[in-house]
Amino acid sequence: MKYLQSKLLILVGLLLGLSEVHAQQLPSSSKRTHQDVPFVQEYSIKYYSDEQSADLEKVFADRNGTVQILGSKGLFRTHAGAFLYPGSFTPDKTYLAMKDKNVSSIATVEDQFVYLDDKAVFSNAWAGTLYLKHELPGAKHFAHGEDFTFLVSNGSSIHLVNQEGILYKGKISGSPVIGISYDMATGRYLLLAENKVMAFSADSKKLQTLTEGSGFTSFVVREGKNKLAVATTDGYFEWDLFADKKVGAKNNALPLPSLTSLTEINGLLWFGSERGAFMQKEDGGFNYYFGERWLPGDKVFHISQKNEDEVLILTDKGLGKLVFMSQTLAEKASFYSKQVRDRHIRHGFNATLVQMEKGNVNSGRIKDSDNDGLWTSMYLGGEAFRYAATGSADALQNVKESLDAMERLYTINDIEGFPARSFSRSGFKDQLGGSVHWQDASDPEWVWKATTSSDEVIGHVFVFGVIAELVDNEALRQQAIGLLDQLMTHIVENDWYLIDFDGKHTTWGRWNPEYVNGFPTMVGDRKLNSSNIVAMLQTAYHFTGKEIFKKEAYKLMDKHGYLENLMRPMEGIGKAKEGSDDWAAMLSESWNHSDDEMYFLGYWGLYRYAFTDELKEKYKETILDHWEAERPEKDGLWNIFGALVDRENFDLEEAVWYLQEYPLDMISWDVKNSHRKDIELLEANFRNQATKEVLPPDELKLRRHNGNRFDLDGGNKGMEEYSAGDIWLLPYWMGRYLGVISDPASK
């Protein structure tokens, strides 16, 4: 759910009805640590309809957990269905006699199914004794009052019925009735028409109009609040059922004001709309469920509750069952770890599943990437942190396998110290990504990808340092240090360039002073490349002890101004001035989030392996300056890196929020938020920050840490599944290692 820790714990009690609410407790020391107590994790199980089950209307579940869906072609049940594995609808043939019933509406009474057809209100519960004839042709709406008394309507008439027979018959003038409810506090049936709300007293048999308007679509009695909430095509308003007057102004600052349905579940309002469903939180904000991450279709017809921890949302293309479970971050990490190992390991690389058939995780293939080395470095770093924090033998084996893949990037080509972007078996160049860059290896069975970039390099150096420092396995340490030495020797000996198979430097593998200082000071690459190369040289010196790395780092800092470059405040980064060359202009068109990723990965070596305490303090200053600029994005990894340099002043709650809010479903479903009326949009700006407050990860498209978290729309139609290895497991296990996230608490 979309809460910080305290709000999540409130929701555990309110939404799930759990008996205990655990508050976040900080340790007695001054260092801040999130106590990993259970929080509410939500996910969706989807059931898709077909032509046979067209024109869906309502969905309910009974006390046994059975789900029934009413459509124009009868009653249906859900078939199969599990998280990531959608189910379907099937005609409900449970009761033989039901096939002859022309059911027009369905409801639950005492958690049992009750039906309305053209003859009666009836049920198969209570030994089948409930059968109340209503004598109202075309009956479409009904509601239960007290003592099994029901008000039935066909839109223009109402009949009140119970076991004694028909107690009342009356006419409705004006627009037809589109809904009926019952208010136990006042003992009145409430009727909704498109242009008015009416009340009918079962005692006095009188019908009165409470309020008039237009565009009314649905309503719900707010139990215990003496209020009626009325949905319209432009927001909703509330009505005081005791004073019979409107409460406040109509609220249309909603994700989508054009409402199709409205209900209340455990004191919280749930809205259906033309574009998804949303729940109003205690703080007045909304949880928004839109797109196939949550729902089969966009238009919502009906919402109801199933058990204490499930919500049923019926759409034009099927049913979405939202499940709210209690879990710890450690349990979420275990789930993600299995996801990675099951579907996202390619030759030891951490990779993306692509070419899927609309979210079918068994239909895709594992794709090579220009950034195989980078994404694997981030996953590998997470597993190294996991091993350091837990001593897990499984984590150690994962480190070994992925480090072997990283090493082969260096050995599959003949260039000393040059890492390939990726490698693959030969014969498929036309199907591999970026096919023009693939080169034949000496072994004809294999090809390797050239043009390696600086973002791969900083990822390599980051993880080699992490392994060398934290993994107490000497063979793996020496393997990492050896690769680090080879890489940095290549860069130093080639005048601060990555030299490719053709003897030329790659497009992005350039740290040479002439190149770096050729940029105006406001172009981010001047600061970035300076920061990265100093971090890389410090890391290499720290673990190899070779003076050349230290000597060259100081030369870059003192003679070529790299220390000044890397210390330049982030507020000075912006568009290149008019008259700058095309390359500088292109690199400074807008804020580059891939640069953020490179900066922060480099900060591990920049700060951790600083040559002196004086430099360390300077690095701390520039890291915190960058972190401050990134705070609005609430990226979990950047906030955990903030803890690396300042344990007392980093956004712990926001880091936990990110980890808790990330969807279990890592599929690239399309999302859209730009239409929402409940968010504050900003004017176009250099950072491409679209909204004042960033939306939760589970309402946004899936993206890695190098993506803009303020992008409101996007996705890839469910054709890809991202790996949690770099997106989630790295910040979580880094947080565990740094001690800002605790071991899981006992339940």
Side-chain angles (χ1 to χ4, degrees):
M1 307 300 286
K2 320 302 184 293
Y3 289 92
L4 299 180
Q5 179 67 16
S6 60
K7 293 295 184 184
L8 277 161
L9 295 171
I10 292 172
L11 187 58
V12 170
L14 289 176
L15 186 58
L16 300 187
L18 300 180
S19 59
E20 285 189 37
V21 176
H22 299 274
Q24 178 178 327
Q25 297 180 354
L26 300 180
S28 57
S29 73
S30 62
K31 293 182 178 180
R32 301 168 62 214
T33 302
H34 168 72
Q35 299 301 307
D36 188 16
V37 297
F39 65 96
V40 177
Q41 176 68 59
E42 56 196 313
Y43 62 89
S44 174
I45 299 174
K46 293 169 292 237
Y47 304 85
Y48 287 87
S49 58
D50 54 26
E51 292 182 3
Q52 184 183 19
S53 52
D55 299 321
L56 305 175
E57 298 176 22
K58 293 185 178 181
V59 60
F60 286 101
D62 69 3
R63 63 182 297 271
N64 302 312
T66 301
V67 175
Q68 279 192 337
I69 302 101
L70 175 64
S72 61
K73 297 184 179 180
L75 292 169
F76 298 86
R77 294 168 73 105
T78 55
H79 171 67
F83 179 55
L84 298 180
Y85 298 93
S88 59
F89 286 8
T90 187
D92 192 330
K93 302 177 181 178
T94 310
Y95 283 87
L96 178 63
M98 290 293 289
K99 69 177 182 178
D100 293 328
K101 302 291 185 184
N102 185 25
V103 176
S104 58
S105 189
I106 183 175
T108 55
V109 175
E110 297 178 359
D111 292 325
Q112 303 282 9
F113 292 128
V114 178
Y115 309 99
L116 176 70
D117 71 359
D118 53 354
K119 296 185 178 67
V121 175
F122 68 98
S123 176
N124 293 313
W126 303 289
T129 57
L130 180 64
Y131 190 84
L132 310 177
K133 294 182 179 181
H134 55 66
E135 298 181 3
L136 191 57
K140 183 65 178 175
H141 309 285
F142 75 126
H144 171 249
E146 296 181 46
D147 299 325
F148 289 94
T149 300
F150 293 83
L151 187 67
V152 181
S153 177
N154 63 358
S156 59
S157 299
I158 56 173
H159 287 189
L160 187 67
V161 301
N162 66 9
Q163 296 285 7
E164 298 176 4
I166 299 174
L167 306 179
Y168 173 83
K169 295 182 179 181
K171 294 286 186 181
I172 302 293
S173 60
S175 297
V177 171
I178 59 175
I180 307 176
S181 188
Y182 182 74
D183 176 32
M184 187 175 296
T186 61
R188 298 184 298 183
Y189 290 93
L190 302 168
L191 299 92
L192 181 71
E194 185 275 334
N195 62 351
K196 60 184 174 181
V197 178
M198 299 162 281
F200 174 76
S201 170
D203 292 333
S204 66
K205 307 298 189 295
K206 290 184 178 180
L207 181 70
Q208 66 178 118
T209 297
L210 299 182
T211 185
E212 294 183 295
S214 63
F216 298 168
T217 59
S218 183
F219 68 167
V220 65
V221 174
R222 306 207 65 185
E223 298 294 341
K225 298 181 176 66
N226 303 319
K227 293 179 182 177
L228 180 73
V230 182
T232 78
T233 54
D234 184 33
Y236 82 101
F237 66 89
E238 292 190 318
W239 184 264
D240 188 322
L241 290 169
F242 275 6
D244 275 342
K245 65 178 183 179
K246 193 174 182 180
V247 180
K250 183 167 65 175
N251 182 0
N252 56 12
L254 310 175
L256 193 76
S258 181
L259 303 175
T260 57
S261 64
L262 179 62
T263 192
E264 185 179 62
I265 298 175
N266 292 323
L268 302 174
L269 286 176
W270 285 77
F271 303 83
S273 77
E274 299 281 345
R275 292 184 179 178
F278 39 96
M279 182 199 79
Q280 188 173 44
K281 302 183 294 187
E282 288 288 308
D283 63 3
F286 296 93
N287 290 352
Y288 190 34
Y289 306 95
F290 178 47
E292 287 191 79
R293 178 178 298 157
W294 303 110
L295 307 174
D298 292 345
K299 185 173 183 179
V300 174
F301 294 138
H302 188 233
I303 303 174
S304 64
Q305 185 175 14
K306 179 180 183 288
N307 306 323
E308 289 187 335
D309 55 0
E310 296 177 349
V311 173
L312 304 174
I313 303 179
L314 189 64
T315 76
D316 54 342
K317 294 183 180 178
L319 174 68
K321 181 172 72 172
L322 304 186
V323 181
F324 300 85
M325 69 176 178
S326 175
Q327 70 170 183
T328 61
L329 287 175
E331 289 170 330
K332 191 169 184 175
S334 178
F335 172 84
Y336 279 146
S337 294
K338 293 175 183 176
Q339 182 243 23
V340 175
R341 302 310 300 184
D342 183 42
R343 299 190 292 276
H344 293 277
I345 299 298
R346 186 186 74 87
H347 299 314
F349 291 128
N350 173 52
T352 302
L353 201 64
V354 299
Q355 295 180 350
M356 288 165 36
E357 299 170 3
K358 196 179 179 181
N360 181 350
V361 296
N362 293 320
S363 66
R365 70 173 179 88
I366 312 173
K367 183 183 183 299
D368 67 277
S369 165
D370 279 0
N371 299 113
D372 272 344
L374 175 60
W375 309 141
T376 303
S377 293
M378 297 175 76
Y379 167 63
L380 182 51
E383 290 303 285
F385 286 129
R386 177 185 168 205
Y387 175 72
T390 67
S392 164
D394 180 64
L396 187 64
Q397 180 62 27
N398 294 342
V399 168
K400 182 182 185 307
E401 292 178 11
S402 288
L403 187 57
D404 284 346
M406 297 288 289
E407 182 175 39
R408 197 171 184 211
L409 291 173
Y410 292 80
T411 60
I412 199 166
N413 66 73
D414 297 326
I415 311 166
E416 185 67 28
F418 181 87
R421 283 184 180 270
S422 183
F423 57 78
S424 182
R425 294 191 185 277
S426 59
F428 303 95
K429 276 189 183 181
D430 60 330
Q431 299 177 46
L432 296 172
S435 58
V436 69
H437 301 305
W438 288 95
Q439 307 299 315
D440 294 327
S442 56
D443 181 347
E445 177 72 14
W446 295 91
V447 292
W448 63 276
K449 184 179 278 190
T451 71
T452 304
S453 178
S454 54
D455 49 356
E456 276 79 62
V457 172
I458 192 61
H460 289 210
V461 174
F462 159 72
V463 78
F464 294 156
V466 170
I467 293 172
E469 179 183 356
L470 304 182
V471 177
D472 59 358
N473 179 293
E474 193 58 26
L476 294 177
R477 288 188 69 254
Q478 291 306 318
Q479 186 180 4
I481 293 170
L483 294 172
L484 173 63
D485 189 9
Q486 291 178 49
L487 172 60
M488 294 311 299
T489 298
H490 174 99
I491 293 172
V492 171
E493 290 183 349
N494 286 288
D495 198 21
W496 311 109
Y497 291 111
L498 274 183
I499 301 301
D500 213 334
F501 70 97
D502 56 3
K504 300 177 182 179
H505 64 70
T506 65
T507 302
W508 300 105
R510 294 192 270 179
W511 302 269
N512 182 277
E514 183 179 355
Y515 171 76
V516 171
N517 289 332
F519 290 115
T521 56
M522 76 285 297
V523 176
D525 280 50
R526 182 166 178 159
K527 174 180 171 71
L528 170 65
N529 286 28
S530 298
S531 178
N532 274 186
I533 193 63
V534 172
M536 290 152 58
L537 288 165
Q538 286 188 160
T539 305
Y541 173 74
H542 185 86
F543 291 107
T544 69
K546 292 185 176 181
E547 287 295 327
I548 184 67
F549 297 129
K550 184 175 184 179
K551 175 186 173 183
E552 294 298 325
Y554 271 107
K555 185 186 293 185
L556 291 176
M557 287 192 287
D558 297 339
K559 181 179 178 180
H560 297 289
Y562 278 31
L563 181 59
E564 180 185 352
N565 288 345
L566 71 87
M567 290 297 297
R568 189 162 288 112
M570 278 292 170
E571 67 179 5
I573 303 301
K575 290 181 179 292
K577 293 180 180 178
E578 236 179 281
S580 299
D581 62 47
D582 292 343
W583 192 250
M586 181 274 291
L587 288 174
S588 62
E589 286 178 344
S590 62
W591 193 268
N592 191 314
H593 297 276
S594 286
D595 287 359
D596 290 327
E597 186 169 68
M598 294 170 66
Y599 275 116
F600 277 97
L601 291 179
Y603 289 158
W604 179 267
L606 188 69
Y607 182 78
R608 194 100 167 169
Y609 312 129
F611 290 134
T612 66
D613 288 342
E614 181 182 4
L615 280 174
K616 196 169 191 175
E617 282 303 306
K618 286 182 178 293
Y619 298 153
K620 178 178 179 179
E621 178 185 337
T622 194
I623 292 170
L624 290 179
D625 171 69
H626 186 188
W627 171 77
E628 192 70 38
E630 289 299 307
R631 292 182 77 179
E633 292 199 16
K634 301 183 182 180
D635 184 283
L637 185 55
W638 309 160
N639 279 318
I640 296 296
F641 267 107
L644 174 68
V645 298
D646 192 343
R647 278 292 304 270
E648 295 304 308
N649 299 293
F650 74 103
D651 288 340
L652 174 63
E653 294 80 9
E654 307 295 13
V656 172
W657 173 84
Y658 173 94
L659 293 171
Q660 291 180 340
E661 292 293 329
Y662 221 89
L664 286 182
D665 180 341
M666 299 284 282
I667 295 172
S668 62
W669 295 115
D670 288 350
V671 301
K672 191 172 180 62
N673 291 285
S674 56
H675 60 275
R676 294 173 62 166
K677 305 302 182 185
D678 64 320
I679 58 179
E680 185 176 341
L681 298 176
L682 301 181
E683 295 292 330
N685 54 76
F686 179 70
R687 289 187 60 89
N688 290 328
Q689 181 175 340
T691 55
K692 183 178 181 181
E693 295 290 335
V694 69
L695 293 172
D698 61 358
E699 294 182 11
L700 299 170
K701 69 177 183 180
L702 265 293
R703 74 201 76 199
R704 290 186 159 97
H705 297 286
N706 65 342
N708 180 10
R709 296 204 60 249
F710 284 97
D711 283 346
L712 296 177
D713 305 335
N716 192 25
K717 304 183 187 306
M719 295 175 64
E720 297 178 344
E721 184 189 51
Y722 285 79
S723 168
D726 52 290
I727 294 174
W728 198 94
L729 290 173
L730 174 57
Y732 170 73
W733 285 114
M734 186 176 177
R736 283 285 300 273
Y737 169 72
L738 293 176
V740 298
I741 299 173
S742 77
D743 294 348
S746 299
K747 291 188 178 181

